[in-house]
Amino acid sequence: MMSKKVAVIVGAGPGVSLHVARKFGQNGFHVVLAARSETALEQFVSQLRNEGITADYTIVDAGSPASIESGFQTIKEQYGSPELLIYNAAIIEALQPSSLTNETLTRHLQVDVIGAVESVRQVLPDLLEKQSGTILITGGGLSLFPAASYSALSIGKAAVRNYALTLSEELKPKGIFVGTVTIAGSVKPNTYYDPAVIADAYWKLHVERKEHEILFRQPS
């Protein structure tokens, strides 16, 4: 029997990440959740396993390239090379642009952008060798509609969106699909931004492999 394809979700949390894990797990993937909190990861994995989904976790600090490299090495050794990467990490913190310093902006970009770049670097050689695979990056509406009250996140989401779209342009001829889901609102069940509905968008990108960005923005 062939082993299941491995999907890694970096920045795993109880909202979009958990629902995306459920969606891909229900469709035959072995999902590996990666984040800093082992207590939370244990709860997420237990919940998914109770639903019949093959799930595991590894500790990864998205703000540390060394931690990302170590985490992916563990994943490859224990579960195999990932076929799919989902990057969902970001620092949500209110900061006015006039209050930004080198240190605060660097801290944000380390998670919001560089963590995505470093995570891609960990899976890309194997994907290129197989000339297949999927990379999906969670975007935010602040990339298109920046807000002064969340200046660092606005900058980070703009940067990671451009990274995803340029990466998609580069890798599409090589058989690797890159997409981004841009969420322009607060994720909450039973609303327009229901995480279960948003998870369907990730699956749609992965399966259809046509459009490279899906924008969730409630009509005014």
Side-chain angles (χ1 to χ4, degrees):
M1 182 179 295
M2 293 182 64
S3 59
K4 293 184 175 183
K5 292 181 178 180
V6 176
V8 178
I9 303 176
V10 178
V16 170
S17 293
L18 186 59
H19 285 79
V20 169
R22 179 177 292 112
K23 183 69 178 182
F24 281 83
Q26 289 171 342
N27 284 278
F29 276 87
H30 177 176
V31 294
V32 181
L33 307 182
R36 291 184 300 173
S37 171
E38 186 167 16
T39 300
L41 289 170
E42 287 176 342
Q43 294 174 350
F44 301 151
V45 166
S46 176
Q47 183 176 340
L48 292 170
R49 288 177 177 176
N50 287 338
E51 298 171 12
I53 292 170
T54 305
D56 286 286
Y57 73 85
T58 190
I59 305 299
V60 167
D61 180 355
S64 166
S67 177
I68 292 172
E69 182 177 1
S70 175
F72 273 92
Q73 185 62 38
T74 298
I75 290 168
K76 293 173 188 177
E77 291 173 354
Q78 295 186 357
Y79 314 115
S81 180
E83 176 73 16
L84 185 144
L85 166 66
I86 297 170
Y87 192 82
N88 190 44
I91 297 177
I92 313 298
E93 182 180 18
L95 283 171
Q96 295 285 343
S98 60
S99 69
L100 290 177
T101 64
N102 291 339
E103 291 75 16
T104 56
L105 185 56
T106 298
R107 177 171 57 87
H108 274 260
L109 295 180
Q110 194 71 52
V111 174
D112 298 353
V113 185
I114 297 172
V117 174
E118 189 61 35
S119 296
V120 169
R121 287 184 66 248
Q122 299 306 313
V123 302
L124 192 54
D126 289 336
L127 298 184
L128 287 171
E129 183 177 345
K130 294 181 291 186
Q131 294 190 329
S132 68
T134 301
I135 297 168
L136 301 175
I137 295 175
T138 300
L142 292 172
S143 64
L144 302 172
F145 315 102
S149 55
Y150 285 92
S151 59
L153 186 58
S154 297
I155 294 167
K157 284 302 182 182
V160 81
R161 176 176 182 267
N162 280 285
Y163 171 65
L165 295 178
T166 54
L167 189 66
S168 70
E169 180 183 343
E170 177 190 1
L171 297 183
K172 185 176 182 179
K174 302 175 183 180
I176 301 166
F177 179 82
V178 182
T180 182
V181 179
T182 300
I183 307 167
S186 299
V187 176
K188 186 178 180 180
N190 302 315
T191 69
Y192 184 86
Y193 300 100
D194 191 306
V197 177
I198 293 173
D200 290 338
Y202 287 78
W203 183 250
K204 179 181 179 181
L205 286 175
H206 169 66
V207 173
E208 295 185 358
R209 307 174 80 82
K210 293 179 181 178
E211 54 189 325
H212 292 272
E213 180 177 26
I214 292 180
L215 172 62
F216 266 86
R217 188 187 187 199
Q218 189 167 13
S220 55

